[in-house]
Amino acid sequence: MQIRLPDFALAYDDVPAQKPDRREVILLIHGYPLSRAIWKPQLEGLSEAGRVIAPDLRGFGGSQATPGPYGMDLLADDCAALLDGLGIRQPVIVGGLSMGGYVALAFYRKYPGRVGGLILAATRAVADSPEARDGRDKAAALAQKEGSTAIARAMLPKMLSPKTFQTRPELVAQVKSIMESASVTGIVGALQGMRARPDSSALLAKITQPALLLFGEDDQFVPRPEIDAMHAAIRGSQLHILLDAGHLLTLEQPERFNQAVKAFLKTVF
Ligand code: MLT
């Protein structure tokens, strides 16, 4: 599906709740340089619990690209505009994976009253270090020179667990193809936005809504002490570490991911 927002057309999935009496809404925000395709197993799996909506952020998947930077607040505003366009005014469960988690935290910062609960997967609260910012600049230059294929080639080894690489060649190929389909404008816009994102560590202590943290045991992006610090900082949060999953745990361990989310949602609704 597509919706026309003020400066671009946004593509999204919108799966109704399997039971018509479930009025809860779950918004799922993908990471970089990915698309809503990373939520495919969740669209059906979580519709048992409510209506599931997954946008392609601007510049990714089927959404149009606009010139960057894509600040996390801008991407959060796009999500809010999607909910507005769909007439959803009630608080929703906001889930984000990696960059999607940065956007979820920005959404929380800007629209706390619209958040009924948070699902933070494979993400971080801290800002980029100077080295990480340098890495963003190099990645943007690489994307501009050699396109999304070079970005996919550089990122693929870090995205999945060793077990996934050994046993699921079709999933490895799918993830590569999702990354290759990202637009260069989208890649550069997101890199500029992530580079400039603020530190959200202090925000974590202010979260009063239920929160679920989900990570893959083999995630190469988020060090374990940082995960434990997030868990400690968000009062009452639940933490699950999924075995045999890397950064893309939604695709690598979809059943265990969905089980954890459904159990969490039962405590929220
Ligand atoms: C993501 O998966 O969204 C990115 O790896 C996040 C990042 O580069 O900080």
Side-chain angles (χ1 to χ4, degrees):
M1 277 174 261
Q2 270 213 346
I3 188 167
R4 182 79 226 166
L5 298 185
D7 55 344
F8 73 107
L10 179 142
Y12 66 100
D13 281 310
D14 183 356
V15 178
Q18 282 172 28
K19 297 194 190 117
D21 59 322
R22 303 302 305 236
R23 304 199 53 78
E24 295 80 10
V25 177
I26 305 155
L27 172 73
L28 298 175
I29 309 169
H30 67 78
Y32 159 92
L34 300 159
S35 74
R36 71 191 199 271
I38 66 154
W39 299 114
K40 193 162 187 298
Q42 283 68 46
L43 291 173
E44 290 307 323
L46 298 183
S47 64
E48 271 176 40
R51 175 177 176 183
V52 187
I53 297 171
D56 277 337
L57 296 171
R58 59 171 82 202
F60 295 94
S63 289
Q64 285 175 335
T66 58
Y70 301 168
M72 300 302 107
D73 283 4
L74 175 73
L75 299 178
D77 287 344
D78 291 343
C79 293
L82 170 62
L83 294 177
D84 290 344
L86 298 175
I88 297 169
R89 304 299 312 173
Q90 69 189 80
V92 302
I93 302 294
V94 182
L97 183 135
S98 203
M99 181 179 76
Y102 311 155
V103 178
L105 289 173
F107 188 96
Y108 181 79
R109 190 181 292 109
K110 293 197 78 172
Y111 310 106
R114 299 189 79 165
V115 179
L118 279 169
I119 301 167
L120 299 172
T123 194
R124 318 179 71 172
V126 296
D128 275 3
S129 63
E131 298 73 41
R133 290 198 180 117
D134 200 39
R136 303 281 189 208
D137 296 340
K138 290 195 174 107
L142 179 68
Q144 272 155 338
K145 189 156 167 262
E146 296 180 33
S148 60
T149 317
I151 296 294
R153 197 182 311 123
M155 290 200 69
L156 187 62
K158 295 186 275 185
M159 284 292 198
L160 302 165
S161 73
K163 180 89 178 266
T164 303
F165 279 110
Q166 280 155 20
T167 58
R168 299 187 58 194
E170 76 302 333
L171 180 56
V172 176
Q174 186 199 346
V175 169
K176 182 163 173 276
S177 137
I178 294 171
M179 293 195 288
E180 285 175 347
S181 72
S183 69
V184 169
T185 307
I187 287 173
V188 173
L191 285 166
Q192 291 168 332
M194 289 191 287
R195 185 189 195 290
R197 76 184 188 283
D199 190 316
S200 294
S201 304
L203 183 73
L204 301 183
K206 299 194 181 126
I207 295 174
T208 50
Q209 287 87 338
L212 173 66
L213 306 177
L214 281 159
F215 289 82
E217 185 193 26
D218 302 316
D219 194 317
Q220 294 183 48
F221 287 86
V222 195
R224 182 65 201 253
E226 232 180 273
I227 298 174
D228 292 335
M230 289 178 73
H231 179 39
I234 308 178
R235 224 168 309 129
S237 59
Q238 298 177 29
L239 169 65
H240 289 257
I241 306 278
L242 304 189
L243 303 187
D244 293 326
H247 197 53
L248 293 188
L249 61 169
T250 56
L251 293 172
E252 296 180 87
Q253 293 297 343
E255 268 142 45
R256 280 192 258 150
F257 186 95
N258 290 355
Q259 277 309 326
V261 173
K262 282 189 279 185
F264 166 72
L265 293 176
K266 280 201 184 121
T267 68
V268 181
F269 300 144

